[in-house]
Structures are given as C-alpha cells and as structure tokens.
C-alpha cells in the first residue's frame, strides 16, 4: 500500500509538471513557482511515507533499498528542479538566477513542505496501511539522537559532502549521475541516519519534523536550516 501511495504521488506530480509546462510557459515566475512546488511536494511526501517504513524487516536493508530506489526515481522524474533551498542558493550566488527567482523557488519549496505534511497526515488518518496505524500520535519523533553540537557538525559535514559531490558530478552522463547521487545519499543515510536523520535539506526537514521545530525551534533551526545552508556556502567557497 505504501509503495502504491508513493507511486501515485510520483504519477500525479508528473502530470502536474507536464500541465504547467504546456500552459504556463508565457508566465515564467508562476511556472517556476509551481514546478518547484510540485517537485518538492513529491520528495517530501514520499520521504514522509518512507520514514514510516524505517522499521520494516530486514533492517536496515529494506529502508536503505527504498531510499536508493526512490532517490533514483526523483532524479529521473524531477530533472531541472532543486527541491532543496540550499541547492537553490548556488545559481543565485553564481549570478545564473536572480535573487527574486531564487526567493520564489525557496518559498515554493517550503509551501510544498507544508502541503506534503498536511496531505500525508490526511492519508495516515485514513489508516489504509499497517504503517499508518498510530502515525499521527507520535508528535515530535525527534531524529536528533545526539548532542546539538554534534548534530550541527554532522548536518554541516553531510551538506558539504553532498553539495561537492553534486558539483563534481555535473560532468558525468545524466543516466549515471542519478545513480551516483542516489548511492551517496543512501550511504549518508546509513552513516548518520540514526544520529540526525541525515536530511541536509531545510524544506524536507521541516516537512518531516515540523512538530519538533515548534517545540525546540532554535535547536532544530540551527541543525536543520543553518547547518545545511552554511555547508552550501562553504562548498561554493571551496569549489
């Protein structure tokens, strides 16, 4: 049921992106906003569902396999979309995208994060699948299983590693690049998922753990918003 749900989200987002591409080419700002929103919605909704499958046996093989598979799927179906505020900073800093367009895309990503969370909570309330039972009663299921300083350093390091890999992989054939990036993300999730969740995406972190941001805003904003953004800036400086 979970796989069918995530596949349905991917199909629906694909149709919405195609419709926007056909109808809104003459309105570039609205087109960019909607395409980025649809794409980020897909990533956030699928990852919300995947988070419920982390305890499916055999652990952690099932969760890591699904992480790899859906990361490849996102890479193949969401070409041209950043789905990550940190990634949006790169063309803005490089002058390839205006500050207005960059801000518009980041706004779209956070709107999508909220919509994905609301949508998935509605789906979970229907309790159509076993993993959905009791999913809404978890509240702040904190992914931070270490000190704030260590969590900050981990998310910062993972962001730097990921963003450097993305920049270095730009010269690789696209059909191989998505697999390389998916493999790297899976390795990072395996290495730090039990400590911080290995998210390094501010919009995705908010979609997954909004309750934790409400309860401990300063700690979670430092670890899941400031650390990845700082990692991106360090990456641009080093690269």
């Amino acid at each position: 049921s979970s796989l069918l749900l995530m596949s349905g989200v991917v199909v629906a987002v694909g149709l919405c992106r195609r419709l926007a591409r056909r109808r809104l080419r003459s309105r570039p700002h609205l087109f960019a906003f909607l395409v980025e929103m649809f794409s980020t919605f897909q990533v956030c909704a699928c990852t919300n569902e995947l988070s419920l499958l982390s305890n499916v046996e055999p652990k952690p093989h099932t969760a890591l396999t699904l992480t790899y598979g859906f990361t490849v799927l996102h890479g193949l179906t969401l070409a041209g979309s950043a789905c990550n505020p940190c990634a949006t900073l790169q063309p803005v800093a490089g002058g390839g995208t205006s500050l207005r367009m960059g801000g518009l895309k980041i706004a779209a990503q956070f709107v999508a994060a909220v919509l994905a969370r609301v949508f998935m909570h509605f789906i979970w309330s229907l309790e159509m699948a076993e993993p959905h039972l009791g999913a809404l009663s978890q509240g702040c299921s904190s992914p931070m299983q270490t000190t704030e300083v260590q969590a900050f350093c981990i998310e910062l390091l993972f962001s730097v590693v990921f963003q450097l890999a993305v920049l270095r992989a730009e010269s690789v054939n696209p059909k191989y690049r998505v697999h390389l990036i998916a493999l790297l993300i899976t390795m990072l999730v395996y290495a730090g998922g039990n400590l911080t969740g290995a998210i390094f995406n501010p919009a995705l972190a908010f979609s997954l753990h909004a309750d934790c941001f409400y309860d401990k805003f300063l700690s979670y904003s430092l670890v899941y918003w400031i650390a990845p953004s700082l990692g991106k800036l360090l990456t641009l400086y080093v690269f």
Side-chain angles (χ1 to χ4, degrees):
S1 299
S2 292
L3 292 178
L4 287 175
L5 171 62
M6 290 186 285
S7 300
V9 169
V10 172
V11 172
V13 167
L15 293 175
C16 290
R17 280 167 55 93
R18 180 174 297 182
L19 181 63
R21 190 173 292 111
R22 288 180 177 178
R23 299 293 180 87
L24 298 174
R25 279 296 189 181
S26 59
R27 305 178 67 181
H29 287 91
L30 180 59
F31 170 74
F33 180 89
L34 290 178
V35 169
E36 194 66 36
M37 186 184 72
F38 293 143
S39 303
T40 308
F41 177 90
Q42 174 178 314
V43 172
C44 291
C46 290
T47 308
N48 268 279
E49 185 68 17
L50 284 173
S51 67
L52 297 183
L53 305 179
S54 59
N55 293 321
V56 174
E57 297 292 345
K59 296 189 295 186
H61 305 85
T62 301
L64 291 175
T65 301
L66 290 173
T67 298
Y68 175 82
F70 273 89
T71 303
V72 171
L73 185 60
H74 295 327
L76 293 174
T77 58
L78 303 179
S81 297
C83 306
N84 186 337
C86 297
T88 306
L89 293 175
Q90 178 184 342
V92 173
T97 299
S98 67
L99 184 62
R100 180 184 178 185
M101 181 63 77
L104 195 67
K105 289 185 176 182
I106 291 175
Q109 291 158 0
F110 276 98
V111 169
V114 174
L115 291 177
R117 182 174 179 81
V118 172
F119 172 75
M120 293 309 299
H121 277 213
F122 169 72
I123 295 296
W124 293 346
S125 68
L126 302 178
E127 298 186 343
M128 297 185 298
E130 184 177 350
H132 298 171
L133 301 177
L136 296 180
S137 62
Q138 294 179 2
C140 173
S141 54
S142 176
M144 201 187 304
Q145 302 300 317
T146 184
T147 65
E148 292 177 8
V149 174
Q150 290 178 334
F152 181 90
C153 293
I154 290 171
E155 287 293 310
L156 174 63
L157 175 63
F158 283 7
S159 178
V160 170
V161 171
F162 174 71
Q163 298 295 344
L164 278 176
V166 170
L167 290 172
R168 295 296 297 178
E170 288 181 349
S171 59
V172 179
N173 189 308
K175 67 179 180 181
Y176 300 124
R177 182 166 62 234
V178 292
H179 291 279
L180 290 174
I181 298 301
L183 180 60
L184 174 62
I185 290 176
T186 305
M187 292 172 61
L188 293 176
V189 170
Y190 177 71
N194 62 324
L195 298 175
T196 66
I199 303 173
F200 45 89
N201 181 334
L204 178 59
F206 186 71
S207 184
L208 291 173
H209 305 292
D211 292 334
C212 299
F213 280 91
Y214 300 149
D215 294 342
K216 301 178 180 179
F217 177 79
L218 181 59
S219 298
Y220 277 77
S221 61
L222 284 173
V223 173
Y224 295 105
W225 288 354
I226 303 300
S229 301
L230 181 59
K232 181 59 183 179
L233 295 177
L234 288 174
T235 301
L236 293 175
Y237 175 77
V238 172
F239 194 80

